[in-house]
Amino acid sequence: MDEQRDSRGARSHDKKHGDPIAFAENLPALVPSDAWIARTREFGIELEAREIELLGKYLAALMDVNTRTNLTAIRDAEQAWDRHIFDALTLVGVLQELPESDGRRKVIDVGSGGGLPGVPLAIVMGDVDFVLLDATKKKTDFIARCAQWLGLENLSVINGRAEGVGQDKAHRGMYDGAMARAVGKVAMIAELTVPMVKVGGLVVLTKGEQAEEELKQAKKALHMLHTHHVGTVETPTGRVVVLEKQRTTPRMYPRRDGEPKRSPLGVSDTGRR
Ligand code: SAH
């Protein structure tokens, strides 16, 4: 596991030709439409000019790098403001409800890809520390560069698999919250996220129409992980499923690499009980 603590500590940028995740330092920020700003306001999110600028710079880098290497399926900036930035910001309300912590609250984004939902949330929630985890090095390198470029001191990056990180003493039971978008169904992603949160901590999943069906399918898994469904919030871009960890996770979870996906807990016949 290659931990790139605060992106300031990351290796210096490799500017040589062909670096797939390189982007120009002077890339101009994309600008959201007035209608987009109005929609976020209606939803209860009041963004400062500085935050809009940082969100626009992040999106500019994501869209630019995405023309050379695949970070996200969305290639249209207009669409990206909704489906990436606004969608990430729909988690703010739930994350504000995280139980009080001794120090700063800590949230891990599991399978963050090009930095979603973690990067936009780190931009607008300066009082929370975000750790963005992904198995693909190219993606975590990209996020680390963005964090450094944008000066986000509350964001750090881990390149690794959630199965290993969830069994690592430095991370197991250490987070006030975990979140994930588009990494897998509830039964699978619960096994990858729940072990990392504290008892009483929340797992916040960005979902769509299929939320209820996946929750039904995950009933046994949630029981095995001592976790319960506290609610689902309807948002303009989908549904946010909120789980709460009730007791310490049994040692055996998460299982070895690939197992949570291959044989989701309580779902497939070969799943361990
Ligand atoms: N959350 C992002 C990316 C979704 S794609 C978004 O919404 O745009 C799913 C990502 O999860 C991929 O980048 C993949 O590398 C990562 N991933 C899948 N399984 C993982 C695991 N077990 N541990 C860490 N990362 C994982």
Side-chain angles (χ1 to χ4, degrees):
M1 190 167 34
D2 164 24
E3 179 152 7
Q4 300 153 4
R5 276 269 135 217
D6 182 332
S7 50
R8 280 170 202 296
R11 290 180 311 281
S12 62
H13 293 186
D14 177 6
K15 291 250 177 60
K16 75 172 187 285
H17 183 70
D19 179 358
I21 58 151
F23 56 86
E25 296 268 328
N26 61 355
L27 208 55
L30 295 176
V31 180
S33 67
D34 291 344
W36 185 88
I37 295 179
R39 278 205 295 286
T40 57
R41 208 169 270 153
E42 253 167 58
F43 186 67
I45 297 171
E46 205 59 54
L47 295 168
E48 293 167 17
R50 167 105 193 110
E51 292 168 340
I52 295 176
E53 161 91 11
L54 290 176
L55 292 168
K57 284 181 99 172
Y58 164 63
L59 205 50
L62 184 67
M63 294 288 106
D64 179 62
V65 169
N66 207 42
T67 61
R68 294 181 292 281
T69 184
N70 186 34
L71 292 174
T72 159
I74 297 172
R75 282 162 213 289
D76 174 63
E78 197 63 40
Q79 240 194 358
W81 277 103
D82 280 327
R83 293 184 46 199
H84 285 334
I85 309 295
F86 193 9
D87 190 53
L89 299 182
T90 62
L91 304 185
V92 170
V94 177
L95 293 178
Q96 278 168 342
E97 304 282 300
L98 281 178
E100 287 294 317
S101 183
D102 292 343
R104 285 169 61 87
R105 286 170 300 175
K106 235 173 131 178
V107 174
I108 187 160
D109 182 9
V110 175
S112 192
L116 295 157
V119 174
L121 289 166
I123 290 172
V124 305
M125 298 185 81
D127 58 334
V128 175
D129 286 332
F130 290 90
V131 175
L132 276 57
L133 165 69
D134 202 279
T136 305
K137 180 97 168 64
K138 182 181 74 175
K139 294 180 176 177
T140 49
D141 281 350
F142 170 73
I143 300 168
R145 277 191 196 185
C146 286
Q148 184 181 43
W149 185 49
L150 303 175
L152 299 176
E153 290 178 1
N154 60 332
L155 192 164
S156 58
V157 183
I158 303 173
N159 176 239
R161 290 193 61 98
E163 290 91 333
V165 174
Q167 289 292 358
D168 179 343
K169 267 216 313 260
H171 298 280
R172 189 174 177 88
M174 298 301 278
Y175 294 88
D176 301 287
M179 56 192 184
R181 182 182 90 153
V183 182
K185 293 191 176 171
V186 175
M188 175 249 192
I189 196 63
E191 183 176 354
L192 295 183
T193 51
V194 169
M196 297 189 214
V197 306
K198 300 174 183 174
V199 173
L202 301 181
V203 170
V204 183
L205 305 173
T206 310
K207 287 284 165 193
E209 300 278 314
Q210 66 311 359
E212 285 314 303
E213 197 186 315
E214 286 186 26
L215 275 165
K216 231 185 264 167
Q217 191 195 44
K219 205 165 181 253
K220 269 194 201 160
L222 295 185
H223 181 74
M224 290 154 120
L225 295 163
H226 305 319
T227 296
H228 80 145
H229 173 222
V230 289
T232 299
V233 185
E234 296 259 357
T235 73
T237 54
R239 299 199 181 137
V240 177
V241 169
V242 187
L243 312 175
E244 185 185 328
K245 173 159 162 175
Q246 295 174 298
R247 284 185 283 132
T248 310
T249 310
R251 281 236 146 273
M252 66 186 104
Y253 309 124
R255 290 165 293 164
R256 65 174 191 274
D257 286 5
E259 207 59 15
K261 181 175 181 182
R262 196 186 65 76
S263 155
L265 282 181
V267 177
S268 114
D269 287 335
T270 50
R272 200 138 133 201
R273 334 198 114 237

